Amino acid sequence: MSNTMSDVTLDPKTPGGPIEDRWDNHRFDLRLVNPNNKRKFTVLVVGTGLAGASAAASLAQLGYNVKAFTFHDSPRRAHSIAAQGGINAAKNYKNDGDSTYRLFYDTVKGGDYRSREGNVHRLAEVSVNIIDQATAQGVPFAREYGGLLDNRSFGGAQVARTFYARGQTGQQLLLGAYQAMARQIHLGTVTLYNRMDVQDVVVHDGRAQGIVARDLLTGEISSHSAHAVLLCTGGYGNVYFLSTNAKACNVTATWRAHKRGAAFANPCYTQIHPTCIPPADEFQSKLTLMSESLRNDGRIWAPKEFDEARAAGDIPDADRDYFLERKYPAFGNLVPRDVASRNAKTVVDEGRGVGPLKNGVYLDFSDAITRFGKETIKARYGNLFDMYERITGEDPYATPMRIYPATHYTMGGLWVDYNLQTTIPGLFALGEANFSDHGANRLGASALMQGLADGYFVAPETVAGYLSGLLGESPMDPGDPAFTAVQAEAEDRAAQLLAVKGTNSVDHYHRELGRIVWDYCGMARNRTGLEKALSEIPALREEYWKDVKVLGSGDSYNQSLEKALRVADFMEFAELKVRDALHREESCGGHFREEHQTPEGEAQRDDENFAYVGAWEYAGPDIQNDAVLHKEPLVFENVQLTQRSYK
């Protein structure tokens, strides 16, 4: 199935010269497409979250013909809508010492020095434009009394650079991008395909030629050709089954692209978010995120005593351990997510967890309510407090929230160069679908920043540079054998699953896969556990294809088949994820190998041997033995490699 990349060198195409000039110089060097020629090109955008909607709107506004695909009934349901706390930008409105360079530095440091400097600096540069764009679209960012946009703090930074719209920032930004795309739909420059689930990428003559997609309502599988394909399909966090992601989020588009020749970079890098509502029972199917912004005013603590039986309000301050403030006085509760998560896990593992299942720690707002008043806290976080009360039945104004880490975001993804192009020419990956900006840990409020930076400001220029070389060429005929062969594979894959007629549900196998990956490749990993996972996952996958029960048929609306196809991809991807974690004999960011930690229990990197991007080539179905590792060395010219410290 794969197209080999064994002879391909991972060339990041990062421009030379002073880092602050690289993006501008690169933009000038990129070839352009004149306005009259843009309408001769067709671009497919897969996914309509922030990255996809902004890219579709921007490319269409420039004059390209865009086809946008979403598996939702409306692009407004894309998972970007669930982002809560805010979006970073180096505006320095608070006059507290922020700058483009400081945002760049904090991001590289927050990612534990495992990201590409050139991409991160560009992200910091573009961040200021995103806020102007969104404000012009009418995004209702919070404002101070004088009318200026307000900012709050997020983890991993000592400045306030996060713009926000209460706890609904993702929703408001998505509405802005959606309305920009909807305008282009009205003008006829964007054709929107709802309820279409991408099954594969078509690669021919060494470049991406289009996609094969399944209509979720009718079951019909169809082919769509174009000059370029943009994958904006999010991350792979649902490999864990329990995560903060929407249940439909999946790895399929990027995994199928990987099997067609796109390198998959750093799949072991997964972010565990520290501020989630703990699961209530073993049958829960999804976890709920409480925004990191709550850590601005909430204080995280656990009882000092083991198996504490008193209610939170009855535990005096002397018997509370504000463990983040104690261990990291400079950053306190605003340490990066990976640090906060590991410390919460340590406390619970020690036997100091709280709640009915003793599986959480407290996030307490009593001090902030006393200092600012209930109405001020309500104005800042009211919708989040309401959501918490609806889910738990507990009033967070009166008693502390209970939180515990959960899978949230994925820093790994398809390998892309500085132009956001994968190792398959003509195939681009934007937002969470690529690996490029966050290293081994994403700072809070940077996901929205990256998605919109890629869609509004980077891809429109770099995609043009690629398309300029195709002037005069028409897209392939969707009836070409290159398309019909891939379409036949997709139809056969669905038929195989329907034919199994086993005894266990898709969710049964997904839950079991998630247990394996969480237990052995979750917040902490070690060689013994990873090797155990590598023995259990193939066995589970074999059982899945022999005994999964998929209800219904393939020629109608069938959620069971929809899930089955996605879980089949998770079964394969999980093995590569664990394989990547096993090979990386160091701790960095969200990848915490227990064998590699400092005496204080912090992540200990090995810069001499692992300062690289690990990009995997698909070379056959035996992933453990067939996958080929390619290494892109990470060069640090502007940020000094040091042991991260937030003390």
Side-chain angles (χ1 to χ4, degrees):
M1 180 178 180
S2 67
N3 291 336
T4 182
M5 55 168 276
S6 295
D7 297 328
V8 176
T9 301
L10 291 179
D11 179 6
K13 295 185 173 62
T14 304
I19 196 166
E20 61 272 15
D21 298 331
R22 290 178 184 176
W23 176 229
D24 282 341
N25 291 340
H26 186 68
R27 292 167 64 205
F28 181 77
D29 291 337
L30 285 167
R31 295 175 62 186
L32 301 175
V33 178
N34 84 48
N36 288 326
N37 285 334
K38 288 183 173 118
R39 62 176 177 267
K40 300 175 183 177
F41 291 108
T42 299
V43 179
L44 304 185
V45 177
V46 183
T48 58
L50 285 181
S54 60
S58 300
L59 289 165
Q61 175 69 40
L62 288 169
Y64 299 102
N65 295 304
V66 177
K67 295 181 179 180
F69 295 78
T70 176
F71 58 63
H72 297 289
D73 55 356
S74 166
R76 289 175 295 176
R77 292 188 182 274
H79 192 55
S80 298
I81 201 171
Q84 298 167 341
I87 176 171
N88 287 331
K91 287 283 197 182
N92 195 31
Y93 281 174
K94 293 289 189 180
N95 196 30
D96 56 359
D98 203 9
S99 65
T100 297
Y101 185 85
R102 190 176 295 279
L103 175 52
F104 158 68
Y105 174 84
D106 287 345
T107 304
V108 173
K109 177 184 176 183
D112 217 351
Y113 305 93
R114 289 295 176 261
S115 52
R116 189 190 289 153
E117 277 194 345
N119 287 65
V120 178
H121 196 279
R122 176 176 64 189
L123 177 65
E125 292 176 60
V126 168
S127 69
V128 297
N129 299 330
I130 297 170
I131 303 305
D132 296 339
Q133 172 99 354
T135 303
Q137 290 174 336
V139 172
F141 288 123
R143 294 180 180 268
E144 295 181 328
Y145 176 77
L148 292 177
L149 300 184
D150 197 11
N151 293 118
R152 56 190 179 198
S153 298
F154 258 63
Q158 291 179 304
V159 297
R161 63 163 66 102
T162 303
F163 295 78
Y164 64 98
R166 296 187 73 191
Q168 304 166 334
T169 314
Q171 179 189 54
Q172 298 303 322
L173 288 169
L174 183 60
L175 288 173
Y178 169 73
Q179 70 180 6
M181 184 175 69
R183 177 174 179 270
Q184 299 302 322
I185 294 170
H186 175 72
L187 294 172
T189 53
V190 171
T191 303
L192 178 65
Y193 294 82
N194 291 323
R195 306 298 283 156
M196 293 289 278
D197 200 16
V198 171
Q199 300 295 293
D200 220 326
V201 175
V202 178
V203 180
H204 185 68
D205 286 340
R207 60 186 177 91
Q209 304 281 1
I211 62 171
V212 168
R214 181 175 183 271
D215 187 316
L216 293 178
L217 299 181
T218 67
E220 179 186 2
I221 296 178
S222 56
S223 296
H224 306 265
S225 65
H227 293 92
V229 177
L230 278 59
L231 296 184
C232 312
T233 53
Y236 46 83
N238 272 346
V239 69
Y240 289 93
F241 185 76
L242 277 180
S243 84
T244 66
N245 292 183
K247 292 301 292 180
C249 293
N250 63 87
V251 75
T252 290
T254 51
W255 182 249
R256 301 279 171 80
H258 171 60
K259 295 178 76 171
R260 294 293 174 190
F264 211 113
N266 301 335
C268 75
Y269 289 166
T270 304
Q271 179 163 87
I272 311 296
H273 196 295
T275 319
C276 304
I277 300 176
D281 60 53
E282 60 180 303
F283 299 107
Q284 194 164 326
S285 62
K286 187 188 179 305
L287 297 175
T288 302
L289 172 71
M290 300 308 296
S291 170
E292 181 179 314
S293 63
L294 295 169
R295 290 198 275 151
N296 273 283
D297 290 307
R299 300 179 69 191
I300 295 174
W301 62 274
K304 289 182 178 179
E305 296 298 321
F306 298 98
D307 297 318
E308 174 65 72
R310 290 174 291 180
D314 296 331
I315 302 175
D317 214 52
D319 292 340
R320 301 178 179 186
D321 179 15
Y322 295 92
F323 52 92
L324 293 180
E325 298 173 33
R326 169 173 56 82
K327 294 181 66 174
Y328 310 99
F331 282 73
N333 294 298
L334 290 175
V335 293
R337 291 174 175 178
D338 60 314
V339 177
S341 294
R342 279 197 299 276
N343 278 273
K345 180 181 186 297
T346 298
V347 166
V348 172
D349 288 350
E350 288 174 349
R352 295 194 284 139
V354 302
L357 301 181
K358 303 295 184 183
N359 61 346
V361 295
Y362 287 126
L363 179 61
D364 193 339
F365 290 87
S366 57
D367 285 355
I369 291 172
T370 300
R371 188 163 62 253
F372 300 118
K374 181 178 177 179
E375 291 306 311
T376 297
I377 298 302
K378 190 173 185 178
R380 292 175 181 174
Y381 314 110
N383 63 304
L384 297 171
F385 278 47
D386 292 344
M387 181 169 67
Y388 181 88
E389 185 171 12
R390 283 196 298 271
I391 292 171
T392 66
E394 302 168 7
D395 179 4
Y397 294 104
T399 188
M401 290 182 179
R402 291 178 293 108
I403 59 168
Y404 191 68
T407 304
H408 178 56
Y409 187 89
T410 55
M411 287 75 66
L414 293 183
W415 183 92
V416 294
D417 61 19
Y418 192 71
N419 295 320
L420 305 183
Q421 187 168 226
T422 69
T423 51
I424 300 175
L427 180 67
F428 296 78
L430 280 60
E432 193 179 1
N434 74 38
F435 87 98
S436 65
D437 292 355
H438 306 297
N441 174 66
R442 177 177 67 79
L443 292 184
S446 287
L448 306 185
M449 175 174 62
Q450 186 210 349
L452 292 179
D454 287 356
Y456 280 139
F457 298 108
V458 180
E461 305 210 40
T462 61
V463 171
Y466 170 77
L467 294 175
S468 64
L470 301 178
L471 188 62
E473 294 192 27
S474 299
M476 285 183 67
D477 182 350
D480 186 275
F483 277 88
T484 56
V486 175
Q487 188 169 323
E489 287 181 29
E491 292 167 346
D492 184 58
R493 193 161 45 238
Q496 285 183 55
L497 284 167
L498 288 165
V500 174
K501 301 189 183 304
T503 57
N504 291 313
S505 70
V506 176
D507 278 349
H508 165 81
Y509 286 105
H510 194 181
R511 189 185 299 275
E512 182 61 20
L513 176 68
R515 182 197 62 76
I516 295 170
V517 182
W518 177 256
D519 285 350
Y520 303 126
C521 197
M523 271 193 282
R525 298 105 186 251
N526 58 58
R527 173 168 288 276
T528 300
L530 292 168
E531 289 177 342
K532 186 172 178 60
L534 286 176
S535 69
E536 292 186 3
I537 292 171
L540 182 68
R541 184 168 66 241
E542 183 179 358
E543 181 187 336
Y544 178 78
W545 282 95
K546 290 180 178 178
D547 200 31
V548 69
K549 183 176 184 178
V550 182
L551 303 172
S553 65
D555 57 359
S556 63
Y557 181 54
N558 188 340
Q559 286 187 305
S560 181
L561 176 59
E562 182 183 334
K563 288 193 292 185
L565 289 164
R566 293 169 179 171
V567 172
D569 292 317
F570 277 133
M571 288 279 185
E572 295 180 357
F573 167 76
E575 193 170 348
L576 183 67
K577 174 182 171 63
V578 176
R579 175 74 182 84
D580 186 48
L582 181 62
H583 108 274
R584 189 168 283 277
E585 289 278 2
E586 65 165 352
S587 290
C588 55
H591 170 64
F592 191 76
R593 285 287 296 268
E594 293 175 338
E595 306 96 322
H596 305 286
Q597 54 184 301
T598 68
E600 293 79 24
E602 306 294 345
Q604 189 167 50
R605 299 191 318 271
D606 181 353
D607 295 329
E608 182 178 351
N609 295 302
F610 290 97
Y612 60 74
V613 177
W616 294 88
E617 173 189 354
Y618 182 84
D622 185 357
I623 294 167
Q624 292 182 52
N625 297 309
D626 292 344
V628 179
L629 177 64
H630 299 263
K631 300 177 182 179
E632 178 203 332
L634 291 171
V635 179
F636 294 92
E637 302 172 325
N638 300 274
V639 177
Q640 183 181 358
L641 282 165
T642 59
Q643 173 68 34
R644 270 198 316 174
S645 175
Y646 293 96
K647 296 183 177 181

